[in-house]
Amino acid sequence: TTAPARAAHPLAAPLAGNILHVNVIVGDEVQAGDVIVVLEAMKMETEVRAQRAGRVAEVMVKVGDKVAVGDPLISVA
């Protein structure tokens, strides 16, 4: 028997801004607390951290993208 697939959990932008860094690619393993995206808003950098451990299933943003509050950034399964 195989283990059931884990549902992917999207990580949403906590604030509106521009994507400065994307630190992961699809397939990367992440741990809870890892910085996976850095946003810039009003000249301040904000680190977006993984909420749980898992594997990156999808990357929805790239450097230079503008995002709004709640936009999905990364999906972790």
Side-chain angles (χ1 to χ4, degrees):
T1 26
T2 59
R6 289 174 55 171
H9 290 269
L11 187 61
L15 54 114
N18 297 316
I19 303 296
L20 281 184
H21 303 286
V22 178
N23 298 336
V24 295
I25 60 171
V26 171
D28 281 356
E29 290 287 334
V30 295
Q31 299 301 316
D34 285 356
V35 176
I36 54 179
V37 174
V38 179
L39 286 171
E40 183 271 326
M42 299 183 299
K43 309 286 186 229
M44 301 273 297
E45 290 186 12
T46 300
E47 295 177 338
V48 181
R49 297 178 181 270
Q51 301 297 308
R52 64 188 189 112
R55 185 179 303 273
V56 176
E58 188 177 359
V59 177
M60 294 91 146
V61 294
K62 63 185 183 314
V63 172
D65 283 355
K66 292 188 184 311
V67 296
V69 174
D71 283 356
L73 305 173
I74 306 283
S75 180
V76 176

